[in-house]
Structure formats: C-alpha cells, structure tokens
Amino acid sequence: MSRPSPRSSIHAHRMPPMTNWRRVLIVGGTAIGLIAATTIGAAIAMTGGGTGAGDGTDGAEPTAGPSTAAVETSASPSPSPSPTEPASSAAPAGDGMCDRAPAAGPDVTVTEVDANVIGAGGEGDTDPLPAALAATPDGRSWLAWDGTDDRIHLARLDCDDAIDGDAFDLEGVDLQDVIADADGVTVLVTREGDCGDGPLCGGESSPCRTMHMVRFDNAGAQVWDRQVTNLNDDRSGYDDGARFVWWYQHHGRLASDGSNTAAYFGVAITVANGGCVDIHQGDRMQVVDSDGNLADHSDAFAVGCSHSWTTRIAWNADRDEFGMVCATDNQCRIAVPAYTTVAAGECDGSLFGGDLVAVGGGYWTAWSQGGQARLEHFTDGPSDATVDTGVDTGHPHLVAYGDGLLLAWGSGDGMKAQVRDTEGGPVGEPFAIGVPDHDYQAFKAYPDGSAAYPAAGDGSIRIARVTPPA
C-alpha cells in the first residue's frame, strides 16, 4: 500500500505528528508537532475562516455555518458494484439484543480476532489508521481494518465480539471510520486520485487522493459509493478550487442522524497563485443521504477550520444538529467550525482535540494541552464548564458509557480509563484496559451502555469492551 510522502508546496506545512478468537476477562474496580504562526485566511478568501474559493462547478464555495449547505453537483459516484470479495453469508436473523450481564464495577473483556491488519505502526496524524469499530442497534458490531494486502476489510462481530461470517474487502488507501445501523454499514476511506499538471508554486508532489463514503448491506453487497471531496473529470488535485486528500492531516469521523450520514475530515485546499498553485490545509464536512446522494444540509460546509486537526463530530438529537469541534492554529484553540472558541489553547505542539460526545442539549469534548487532559462542556461554542481531570496524557479518548462518560488514555503498554458522570466528575478510581492505545482510534458507544475499542497488533485485533455496572 503506497503512502503519501511528506512533501509540500511553498505555503504548505508539515502537520503534527479470523474466525479464531480468544477471550480474556479482566475485571477493573502526539504531540501534534504543528507550530504555525499564521493562518491561510486571506490566501483562500476565508472570511473569519469559514469561506473558500472554488468548490462547485461555478467556482464558488459556501460558508461554514448553520445557514449554508455544501452540495457539489460535480462530485459523482452513484450506486456501484459489489466489493471484490463479497461476504458469503448474510447477517444472522434478528435474534434480539445482546445480553451483556452487568457486574459490580466496570468489566473489561478483551476478545482477540484474527485479521491481516497493518498493526499499530505510526500514530501521527498523517499515518494510516489500523482499525475502526461501529456499534449496531442490537449491540453487535462491524469491524473495519486496514489490511496488509492493500485493501480495507470489513467483518461483522457477534455479541461476544467474535467475527460472525466471512469478512470482505474494498478498495482503499487509508481507513478513516465506520458507522452502522440495522440495515448495513458505511465506511469512510481514501482512494487514489489524480493530481493533474499543477504546477505547484514550490516543493515536490505527493499522491492526490479522494475521500469516499461506501455503503454495504448486511450481506456485504455494496449499495453505493459517494465521493465527499470534489475531484472529477474536470478537476484534479492541483487545479484551483480542488478539495482533496494530500499528505496533510486527513483523518475523519462519521456521524448519523438515522437517515443521513455526515463525514468530517481534514482536507487539502488548492489555491491559484499566479501561474502556479499553493496547497493549504483545512477541514470539510459533507452529508450523504440514505440513497448515497450529497444532501443539501444546513450543517455541511466545504471548508471550516484552517489549519485543522482532530476533526470530531457527533449527532445531537436534542439540538437536531451535527455538532463538531476541531483543533486549530487559528488563534490556537479547540473550536466549533468556523470559528467559535470552545477552549483557548497554545500552539506549542501539544494542542490535541480528543473525542466529542453529545449529552442532552450540549456536548462534552476531551482535549489536552501540555500533556494534561481536560473536559469541556459547551452548547453553541464557548465552554460553560471546564474539568481538569488530573490525567497526564497528550491524547485523551471520550465516549458515552452507562449513564455518563468514559475517559480513557494510554498508560505504559496499555490503557487506563475512568468513569465520569454527566457533569464531568469522577466516578470511582481509574482502572486498567489491557490493550495498547492509539492516539487517533476511537471508542464507540453501544445501546447497552458499554463501550468498545479496537487495538491492532501483528495479525490480530483485540476488541476491548468495557461493560458498565448495574
């Protein structure tokens, strides 16, 4: 699998850094490296960081925010063929919810499944993501991983987190995220694209990629494939107005309102500069409907934060919106795109945005500065509650868990976690999770209140599930 090399144009910058299974029961009681002094505001005509140039066929780009959608009539794919190796068996017939018995305290169960995964490898924000997990409404899972065979793989997991049926694969350079519902699964991946002729104003070229949502039904048949960047037959990566995936930070996350699925991810931004082009970096959010079409959605935008890393998104049913936060060197902060400050930070190479969880009419986000994890609560932007967790980590994870939250972080060769209530306060002592951490992978919440995390190793993935007490 070829990977982009760290080369840039004149204004670019280096972003910071199978059926066999075994169950082990354990009962528990990057630095980013981005230090940029300026933003690209004027260079890409981003008023207040929210607008840009040349996303649609008319060369205009909508503004990030609640009043402007980002539908691209030029981005193509519609329903596509099935993957190369479709699953040989459909999902099991509806047999009810998974019944995971609660215990006196948080229970950690680790289930190891065979997978030709690339392994943890590098954990920089331009390194490939090894694995991602998605919960289904009945408490089962879909597991996605980046394989050693240059393919992205998907498999269903049963209630015991063991692979159920045959895995299948699809084309993809990098895995980003996966999300599931009762009818199937949607995966976010990057694919090969065309840079075109340029020319760049400086530096050397790197491969140009596209970002895609790909939808499968429960039997593994592909339903549709939708590009959420904007390259097409008439627009290559080095054309003015292109929004694509370069070597820049491009990790992304998915969220769903039950009908539409939203992707929020890092993106490269091509801007004409005389007879050549500069490539900048920001983020992008696009919404795709259940038929695989780009949706005219008020929360979508073509460019939001810039520069941007750790893009996080969650559906908030109480507010009827897709909520988002980025970490950005625009005033060095955790922000709602683009821009409302959630929490002020510093561009010292340690500013990192953790995960985002919708709770009632607001959100909790975990973030870190100087190796110290914090929790921030907000509704429309500015934080209304800050919790100093006392946890030493540069890369916190946060997920809905039980009646509250679960904060997790890397510790030695494994992880630690602590339950938090809906006010961010600690509930009990930290406990161990016996799998290695990865800065950019995510815990996912399940309908029974548990949370699970996929830890990639050599030739296997260990699913760590934390089940809440009664």
Side-chain angles (χ1 to χ4, degrees):
M1 182 177 299
S2 61
R3 306 293 182 190
S5 58
R7 300 182 175 93
S8 60
S9 75
I10 192 168
H11 290 297
H13 63 282
R14 181 71 170 101
M15 298 300 291
M18 207 110 339
T19 57
N20 296 327
W21 58 280
R22 300 170 294 280
R23 301 184 64 222
V24 181
L25 180 65
I26 307 169
V27 180
T30 330
I32 303 299
L34 169 64
I35 307 175
T38 60
T39 63
I40 67 171
I44 60 170
M46 293 179 68
T47 305
T51 61
D55 195 73
T57 54
D58 59 357
E61 183 170 74
T63 301
S67 61
T68 306
V71 175
E72 299 175 48
T73 56
S74 59
S76 52
S78 47
S80 302
S82 296
T84 304
E85 299 178 18
S88 62
S89 60
D95 53 352
M97 293 285 295
C98 291
D99 184 17
R100 298 186 178 100
D107 282 358
V108 180
T109 304
V110 175
T111 304
E112 186 169 1
V113 298
D114 293 338
N116 63 334
V117 65
I118 60 173
E123 294 184 35
D125 54 10
T126 60
D127 290 324
L129 193 76
L133 197 62
T136 65
D138 61 7
R140 292 166 176 80
S141 307
W142 281 93
L143 175 65
W145 68 90
D146 195 339
T148 57
D149 57 355
D150 296 350
R151 305 284 290 181
I152 306 300
H153 297 256
L154 285 165
R156 289 179 61 89
L157 304 184
D158 62 20
C159 293
D160 293 321
D161 295 324
I163 289 182
D164 186 12
D166 294 333
F168 59 92
D169 63 87
L170 68 150
E171 174 194 355
V173 177
D174 285 342
L175 169 68
Q176 305 297 328
D177 198 10
V178 63
I179 195 168
D181 54 40
D183 298 320
V185 60
T186 303
V187 61
L188 184 66
V189 297
T190 64
R191 288 181 169 168
E192 299 290 349
D194 181 16
C195 288
D197 297 328
L200 297 176
C201 292
E204 299 178 36
S205 180
S206 286
C208 295
R209 316 290 194 196
T210 52
M211 186 77 78
H212 294 252
M213 284 191 210
V214 189
R215 173 73 176 181
F216 299 91
D217 64 21
N218 283 324
Q222 185 170 300
V223 180
W224 48 256
D225 173 351
R226 170 59 58 180
Q227 184 190 163
V228 288
T229 42
N230 75 348
L231 303 191
N232 55 37
D233 291 342
D234 299 318
R235 182 190 291 116
S236 300
Y238 295 165
D239 290 337
D240 184 39
R243 305 292 180 259
F244 70 104
V245 172
W246 213 29
W247 64 267
Y248 285 154
Q249 200 280 353
H250 55 267
H251 286 325
R253 295 283 178 90
L254 295 171
S256 175
D257 64 5
S259 179
N260 302 300
T261 304
Y264 183 36
F265 55 96
V267 73
I269 303 164
T270 306
V271 180
N273 184 2
C276 55
V277 296
D278 293 326
I279 314 294
H280 303 278
Q281 194 275 344
D283 62 33
R284 177 180 184 84
M285 196 281 252
Q286 299 284 273
V287 179
V288 175
D289 66 22
S290 59
D291 294 322
N293 300 310
L294 286 168
D296 184 3
H297 199 283
S298 61
D299 295 331
F301 51 81
V303 175
C305 303
S306 180
H307 307 105
S308 173
W309 61 100
T310 57
T311 50
R312 307 300 189 225
I313 186 169
W315 170 250
N316 191 319
D318 291 329
R319 293 176 60 85
D320 193 31
E321 69 179 14
F322 290 105
M324 286 160 277
V325 289
C326 69
T328 178
D329 62 353
N330 179 294
Q331 300 183 24
C332 304
R333 52 184 162 165
I334 304 298
V336 173
Y339 297 89
T340 304
T341 299
V342 174
E346 298 179 14
C347 285
D348 62 358
S350 70
L351 176 61
F352 184 89
D355 299 297
L356 181 69
V357 178
V359 178
Y363 302 90
W364 279 101
T365 188
W367 67 290
S368 60
Q369 182 83 66
Q372 299 291 313
R374 301 158 170 83
L375 297 177
E376 220 75 45
H377 184 272
F378 67 95
T379 51
D380 296 311
S383 172
D384 53 40
T386 300
V387 177
D388 185 350
T389 66
V391 172
D392 296 332
T393 181
H395 307 94
H397 305 277
L398 190 68
V399 65
Y401 171 79
D403 296 325
L405 304 166
L406 186 68
L407 176 68
W409 61 96
S411 178
D413 294 333
M415 303 178 76
K416 285 189 175 180
Q418 187 174 36
V419 180
R420 296 270 164 168
D421 61 29
T422 56
E423 302 299 316
V427 179
E429 296 297 319
F431 57 92
I433 300 177
V435 299
D437 181 41
H438 188 288
D439 299 346
Y440 287 89
Q441 290 190 182
F443 281 82
K444 296 296 179 70
Y446 284 72
D448 61 1
S450 66
Y453 176 88
D458 294 331
S460 70
I461 298 172
R462 302 170 71 191
I463 310 299
R465 179 173 299 278
V466 187
T467 304

